[in-house]
Amino acid sequence: MQDVPDSPGIAQRSREPASERTPGVVAAGLCGLVAAGMVLGIAELFAGLIDPDASPFVATGATVVDHTPETLREFAIEQFGTADKVVLFVSMGVVMAVLAVVVGLLERRRPYGSALLIAFGLIVCVAVLGRPNATAVFAIPTLLGIAAGVVTLRFLIARAPAPTPLGEVSVDPSRRRFLVLVAGAAAVAAGSAAAGRWVGERMRAVTADLERFVLPRPVTAAAPPPPGTDPPVRGLTEFVTPNDTFYRIDTALRIPAVTSEDWRLRIHGMVDREIELTMDELRRRPAVEKMITLTCVSNEVGGDLAGNARWIGYPLADLLAEAGVRPDADMVLSTSADGFTAGTPVAALTDGRDALLAVGMNGAPLPVEHGYPARLVVPGLYGYVSATKWVVDLELTRFDKAQAYWTRRGWSARGPIKTASRIDVPAPFAEIAPGPAVVAGVAWAQHRGITAVEVQVDDSPWQPAELAPEYSSDTWRQWTWRWDATPGDHTLRVRATDGEGRIQTEQRADPVPDGATGWHTRTFRVE
């Protein structure tokens, strides 16, 4: 039988030896993306088996956070608030995707892409080993991920089809086989990542442990808020912040998973006797319940990085007294399970204020994202020097001998909370009707209290607002002011006076290095 000649316009590259093909740009880029996905997926799988903190993605993100300039970090918090970690992860994903495509393109003719993938992997491995709680085995997931990624890249590139010349229609069956292989490899990568996270959660069993956790019965319960503490004004901040809306700002990209059975608290350093407590030993001590407002130092003027809750815990002054603090110790360096540190003045833990090792929040065990099974709560200090979550270590030392996480990065060492006030109602750029109107908000100066709040409309004289009953000097205070609104555009300002008689300063200052200052303003229209 006579051979039928090839039809014109039909590319018959299936007969071309695979070794002589140069993969197309799109196919090569796809190979790079899938190979990078395999690196992360396999690494996540083995990180789940070894330790979830060994995840290269999380370790890289944490390293980025640690080395981000303070101005950029504050900008991220200001712009994105508690979604800053999501933005970080998305940004990292975009950068990794671009680099993965470059890896694939470089691999088209020579194994340069494999070399670049190995180089990137080793850099990430260094980041993993540089985490505070890392051990040598933390490198294993990343190294295995690199190996899987290189094998996947070489395998797919060798089977990637060449590009189809313009105007031709390809019937090359290798294209379909290539797409099937790509889909299969992507499924393996995604499945490995999902399995790794599932295994990690199962191994830690923190959720189950939290469900079994029984709160201690406090010997003194927090008094209920007095009548009128929550003025009935729509849009005004609640006096008690629910757990699911309480702000969360910390450096943990992956929430530390510590069970109550595994938890230990070591008190050591400049003490007469070292103490190590288990949760069972802690339960034998008398617990108390206190209402305390917490504030983040990153809170901008008028920001919402503050919250008030009922905390159940154990007085830190009692624990320190049992250890015997030496007279020359002036700082407690607290350490989280993920390696974060905070330096708290010893005086703030022993001067009679309600400084707690907390295990409960608003009548429930601490949520995992808020420090389960134990955290520090200290009224009057910003969280970066006092509110260590997942706390496992208290070292008595001195400010001239040790520096904590944020003080090494230029923040002030002691962090007392500044007087602040905020307008909640009316909303920004709201339009309200002329006539009687209610302006409302909240003010705080923990451990000093709020004695007065004043409101100014445009350039008119300051007017005293009505304060809700004070719960304690350690909690915020709601305020309201009634006004006969006149038509036009208006600007409201608010300022507070603390319990020591100091009026909140008008001077604007950024959060760095010791908290924002300035009067909160709000512009709106009456028509």
Side-chain angles (χ1 to χ4, degrees), residues 91-178:
S91 301
M92 286 175 54
V94 171
V95 172
M96 288 180 177
V98 172
L99 293 176
V101 170
V102 172
V103 164
L105 295 179
L106 290 176
E107 193 75 8
R108 293 176 68 202
R109 293 181 173 85
R110 295 287 187 277
Y112 298 144
S114 295
L116 185 60
L117 189 61
I118 293 172
F120 285 149
L122 293 177
I123 292 172
V124 171
C125 196
V126 171
V128 171
L129 293 175
R131 301 312 303 156
N133 59 338
T135 63
V137 297
F138 275 38
I140 294 175
T142 302
L143 294 176
L144 292 175
I146 294 171
V150 170
V151 170
T152 300
L153 180 63
R154 299 297 300 145
F155 179 82
L156 292 178
I157 283 289
R159 289 156 180 79
T164 302
L166 187 66
E168 293 188 1
V169 179
S170 174
V171 294
D172 188 350
S174 66
R175 293 181 180 275
R176 179 173 297 178
R177 289 196 298 270
F178 171 72

Side-chain angles (χ1 to χ4, degrees), residues 16 32 36 62 72 126 141 179 189 210 232 298 320 322 388 391 395 404 407 426 429 433 454 507:
E16 182 183 350
L72 183 57
V126 171
L179 292 177
L210 177 60
S298 296
L320 296 181
E322 185 173 330
T388 304
V391 63
E395 179 187 359
T407 51
F429 306 106
E454 298 171 284
Q507 183 176 359

Side-chain angles (χ1 to χ4, degrees), residues 21 31 70 72 133-134 305 311 354 382 423 457 471 520:
R21 296 178 185 173
C31 292
E70 300 310 318
L72 183 57
N133 59 338
L305 300 181
W311 306 94
D354 295 322
Y382 287 118
I423 302 168
V457 180
Y471 183 90
H520 186 214

Side-chain angles (χ1 to χ4, degrees), residues 169-493:
V169 179
S170 174
V171 294
D172 188 350
S174 66
R175 293 181 180 275
R176 179 173 297 178
R177 289 196 298 270
F178 171 72
L179 292 177
V180 171
L181 291 173
V182 165
V188 171
S192 298
R197 297 188 69 86
W198 181 83
V199 170
E201 291 300 321
R202 293 289 295 177
M203 289 180 67
R204 295 300 187 99
V206 173
T207 301
D209 184 70
L210 177 60
E211 291 175 353
R212 295 191 300 267
F213 189 88
V214 178
L215 277 178
R217 185 185 297 274
V219 294
T220 57
T229 302
D230 263 320
V233 178
R234 188 186 182 112
L236 176 61
T237 299
E238 296 178 85
F239 179 69
V240 177
T241 309
N243 290 358
D244 59 351
T245 58
F246 204 96
Y247 78 93
R248 179 199 163 201
I249 297 292
D250 52 55
T251 63
L253 297 183
R254 168 173 279 157
I255 297 173
V258 182
T259 65
S260 59
E261 183 178 353
D262 293 336
W263 179 83
R264 300 288 187 277
L265 178 67
R266 182 187 176 208
I267 305 176
H268 63 107
M270 299 172 68
V271 296
D272 295 333
R273 64 198 66 84
E274 182 174 320
I275 296 175
E276 184 170 282
L277 292 170
T278 66
M279 187 60 69
D280 286 340
E281 291 169 336
L282 194 63
R283 289 178 186 277
R284 301 189 190 109
R285 300 166 181 269
V288 297
E289 183 181 46
K290 300 294 180 179
M291 190 86 73
I292 299 170
T293 298
L294 299 185
T295 307
C296 180
V297 72
S298 296
N299 199 41
E300 297 282 352
V301 172
D304 60 358
L305 300 181
N308 185 49
R310 293 184 292 113
W311 306 94
I312 293 178
Y314 304 88
L316 284 164
D318 293 349
L319 299 177
L320 296 181
E322 185 173 330
V325 179
R326 294 177 185 168
D328 51 342
D330 64 1
M331 181 177 82
V332 174
L333 185 68
S334 55
T335 303
S336 168
D338 68 344
F340 172 83
T341 56
T344 309
V346 170
L349 305 180
T350 58
D351 63 1
R353 72 183 73 189
D354 295 322
L356 302 177
L357 174 64
V359 296
M361 181 178 183
N362 288 330
L366 286 173
V368 175
E369 64 272 19
H370 288 292
Y372 180 83
R375 65 170 294 166
L376 301 187
V377 173
V378 183
L381 300 179
Y382 287 118
Y384 81 104
V385 299
S386 66
T388 304
K389 303 171 186 174
W390 315 287
V391 63
V392 295
D393 190 277
L394 300 178
E395 179 187 359
L396 275 296
T397 182
R398 293 186 54 80
F399 281 101
D400 58 7
K401 292 183 177 179
Q403 282 189 310
Y405 183 91
W406 286 118
T407 51
R408 289 197 303 270
R409 290 160 174 80
W411 293 76
S412 66
R414 298 174 187 267
I417 288 176
K418 298 179 178 179
T419 303
S421 55
R422 185 180 71 210
I423 302 168
D424 291 339
V425 181
F429 306 106
E431 294 185 359
I432 66 175
V438 177
V439 178
V442 63
W444 59 86
Q446 290 94 309
H447 207 54
R448 299 187 306 278
I450 295 293
T451 57
V453 170
E454 298 171 284
V455 180
Q456 183 185 55
V457 180
D458 302 324
D459 295 320
S460 63
W462 287 93
Q463 300 295 323
E466 179 182 353
L467 289 174
E470 183 181 57
Y471 183 90
S472 80
S473 64
D474 289 338
T475 61
W476 57 16
R477 202 167 179 184
Q478 271 73 347
W479 58 267
T480 56
W481 180 66
R482 299 187 183 280
W483 174 54
D484 189 13
T486 57
D489 294 328
H490 297 284
T491 298
L492 283 170
R493 298 177 186 86

